[in-house]
Amino acid sequence: MATTSRKRLFGTSGIRGIPGQDITLNFVTEMAQAVGTFFEKGPILVGHDTRHSGPTLAKAVAAGLMSVGLDVGEAGLLPTPALQYCVRNMEYNGGIMITASHNPSQYNGMKVSGSDGIDTTRDEEQIIENIYYDKKFRLADWKTVGNSFQDTKTIRTYSEAILSQVNVDEIRKRNFRVVVDLGNGAQCVAAPYILEHLNCKPISLNAQPDGDFPGRGAEPTPDVLKGLSEAVKTYGADIGVAYDGDGDRSLFCDEKGVIHYGDRSAALLTDYILTQNPGALIVTTVSASQAIDDIVEARGGEIFKTKVGSVDVSNAMVERKALFGLEENGGCFYAPHIPVRDGAMTSALILEAMAKSSKPFSEMLNSLPNYQQRKAKFECTSEKVPRVMERIAAYAKGKIETIDGLKIWPDDKTWILLRPSGTEPVLRVFAESDRKDKLDAMINEYSEVVKDTLKRTSS
Ligand code: MG
């Protein structure tokens, strides 16, 4: 098969699809054989989130890895960052997590991590895909076939690692009351126990692992977290936290019941971490708020911006020895623990920041710089993308950045980012300004350009 006709299998964050349709047992077994052939040696840690197909797919992946001669540690149900932490710090040479993160319940997928626990790079994904398509599996014979064992230490190892990164005594002294919305996802098995150890008397919502995600779905957004908001008010809690399906992202609720977007809590942590570590390097993506730039400047830190995508943030953090990373969706990466997104690590750091402050959580957030933001998206097939981007570039007025898509600055407090999505046939628009009137005018102006170009390209 010619390379050009090969469909890309890895998306922005691993392989995703619907089990039984595009993610068949045969497909995952062969993908695991490709991954195992790429890794060359084991053992490889395999785990899954709470999706119904998790145990079956994990067995098929384990079989694929053993068939190419690698030993497999079976971790069962655990959060993605727990698997990644254990791969990095235990005797593993790689890991495969069966997860579709925050996607609806019918989806599942595979996320591959190298021996450092970090997602494989884009180049490595390409090598694995080529092995898969060429079927160049290094199959073992009857005596070199791999073995499998249950690894029962992963959750404890992960939880202890998080606790070792924060000042447990100081947090414990404050007797914080925390409501935790586990969303029936993978943090069910770790986060409540970490909070318990921090003396937070956690009140848990949607705490039973369930692949239907019956509570509020696998994706925590402000509109689906009314239950968390109500519970925080009812129980007089100091803070509320919600995780996504595989537990690598967290969203927070203040003591008044207000749910905050992930970039607000990430901004708070940026401020806290720079106060504790003056001059540190922070990595974020081009879609992050100017609030982050303002905080980094005020605290004398440094900032580096990548393309949108957690793999890009992780890899830039490693390359540049950054201390902290963040995404506008609330993903936070703390390098002393592991430079990947981790919802429970983020929660522990937020509690430490609260323990060191005399203010309630809402006031801590309100004291940070804030901007007006808007997001939009347009249906746009990949064939139309080049024409649309070309037209926007020709039209743009002001400074232009091209790290990912086009980021246009009409003035030094106002920007609009237009970029084709890596996972769907849409053009994503992020915009921010210090003033709502400027923001609205700019969104309207560029929306017209996009709509007009789309109309002309289809005719
Ligand atoms: Mg996730």
Side-chain angles (χ1 to χ4, degrees):
M1 191 190 285
T3 313
T4 45
S5 66
R6 291 173 170 184
K7 193 175 120 217
R8 284 305 314 263
L9 303 169
F10 284 88
T12 312
S13 189
I15 297 166
R16 300 266 170 96
I18 298 178
Q21 293 180 24
D22 30 16
I23 305 264
T24 61
L25 286 188
N26 191 41
F27 171 77
V28 293
T29 307
E30 288 196 341
M31 266 320 288
Q33 288 176 321
V35 172
T37 301
F38 169 75
F39 279 142
E40 291 181 10
K41 65 182 180 75
I44 306 298
L45 186 60
V46 176
H48 58 84
D49 67 15
T50 59
R51 287 162 201 277
H52 294 305
S53 53
T56 316
L57 297 182
K59 294 279 181 205
V61 162
L65 291 167
M66 288 186 282
S67 74
V68 292
L70 275 55
D71 289 340
V72 173
E74 294 183 86
L77 170 59
L78 84 174
T80 296
L83 179 122
Q84 292 175 308
Y85 180 85
C86 292
V87 166
R88 186 183 179 92
N89 294 285
M90 295 166 78
E91 302 297 305
Y92 289 103
N93 192 45
I96 298 182
M97 181 72 188
I98 309 297
T99 179
S101 185
H102 57 275
N103 285 166
S105 41
Q106 67 269 33
Y107 287 88
N108 213 336
M110 291 168 73
K111 209 169 142 72
V112 182
S113 305
S115 59
D116 57 1
I118 297 171
D119 308 50
T120 39
T121 64
R122 303 293 180 215
D123 290 344
E124 290 167 338
E125 289 173 357
Q126 191 69 66
I127 297 169
I128 294 167
E129 284 184 11
N130 287 341
I131 298 171
Y132 168 81
Y133 280 119
D134 296 335
K135 307 284 179 232
K136 288 204 169 139
F137 311 131
R138 202 177 299 115
L139 293 172
D141 61 15
W142 63 273
K143 63 177 186 289
T144 54
V145 69
N147 217 330
S148 79
F149 54 92
Q150 306 284 318
D151 191 330
T152 54
K153 297 184 296 297
T154 54
I155 308 232
R156 188 166 163 192
T157 303
Y158 167 69
S159 304
E160 284 173 356
I162 288 176
L163 292 166
S164 75
Q165 293 295 341
V166 291
N167 190 326
V168 172
D169 292 341
E170 254 182 86
I171 301 171
R172 284 185 66 88
K173 263 188 242 159
R174 293 290 298 269
N175 297 309
F176 289 126
R177 177 167 277 211
V178 180
V179 180
V180 54
D181 181 346
L182 297 147
N184 312 105
Q187 280 293 357
C188 284
V189 297
Y193 308 99
I194 295 169
L195 293 168
E196 181 83 53
H197 197 86
L198 293 169
N199 202 19
C200 289
K201 304 173 201 63
I203 297 154
S204 301
L205 308 179
N206 305 313
Q208 79 285 16
D210 187 335
D212 288 328
F213 302 107
R216 43 85 177 161
E219 172 148 49
T221 59
D223 2 316
V224 299
L225 296 178
K226 295 198 175 62
L228 175 65
S229 165
E230 286 305 317
V232 164
K233 288 187 279 183
T234 304
Y235 293 103
D238 297 286
I239 191 170
V241 56
Y243 302 106
D244 75 330
D246 67 330
D248 62 352
R249 282 194 294 126
S250 47
L251 223 62
F252 294 86
C253 173
D254 70 28
E255 77 289 352
K256 294 178 176 159
V258 178
I259 311 284
H260 294 271
Y261 281 104
D263 63 343
R264 299 300 295 155
S265 39
L268 191 151
L269 279 187
T270 305
D271 188 65
Y272 173 67
I273 284 166
L274 283 173
T275 315
Q276 304 291 310
N277 307 273
L281 174 66
I282 308 294
V283 172
T284 188
T285 71
V286 282
S287 60
S289 169
Q290 295 166 82
I292 303 297
D293 298 80
D294 294 353
I295 291 166
V296 171
E297 198 187 335
R299 298 287 181 201
E302 283 181 63
I303 191 161
F304 179 77
K305 292 189 184 168
T306 68
K307 282 176 187 279
V308 174
S310 64
V311 181
D312 300 280
V313 176
S314 286
N315 285 313
M317 285 180 73
V318 174
E319 250 167 58
R320 292 165 188 271
K321 299 189 171 48
L323 181 62
F324 185 65
L326 67 134
E327 294 176 300
E328 53 78 33
N329 62 12
C332 291
F333 312 58
Y334 188 55
H337 172 56
I338 177 170
V340 300
R341 297 193 292 213
D342 188 336
M345 183 72 250
T346 306
S347 314
L349 286 168
I350 290 274
L351 289 167
E352 186 183 81
M354 286 171 70
K356 292 214 164 116
S357 168
S358 54
K359 293 179 187 165
F361 188 53
S362 64
E363 280 179 37
M364 291 172 74
L365 289 170
N366 289 338
S367 64
L368 298 169
N370 204 357
Y371 289 84
Q372 304 284 328
Q373 290 174 327
R374 264 177 70 184
K375 289 184 190 179
K377 60 180 179 184
F378 296 94
E379 303 282 327
C380 182
T381 56
S382 53
E383 299 82 62
K384 290 185 186 174
V385 163
R387 181 75 194 108
V388 174
M389 298 306 278
E390 226 170 77
R391 181 95 195 284
I392 298 163
Y395 178 84
K397 291 166 238 149
K399 189 179 82 174
I400 299 181
E401 286 174 34
T402 54
I403 297 171
D404 194 354
L406 290 168
K407 187 173 183 180
I408 305 152
W409 294 79
D411 67 56
D412 61 359
K413 290 285 173 203
T414 309
W415 57 262
I416 184 163
L417 172 71
L418 302 107
R419 52 176 286 275
S421 160
T423 51
E424 297 167 77
V426 298
L427 184 72
R428 292 193 188 284
V429 181
F430 292 78
E432 187 182 67
S433 179
D434 56 340
R435 278 186 13 213
K436 190 166 183 309
D437 56 339
K438 286 198 288 182
L439 180 70
D440 292 342
M442 178 177 63
I443 288 256
N444 292 342
E445 185 185 348
Y446 281 90
S447 295
E448 284 310 313
V449 180
V450 173
K451 281 188 217 157
D452 184 59
T453 314
L454 285 172
K455 207 161 46 179
R456 284 168 194 232
T457 9
S458 62
S459 59

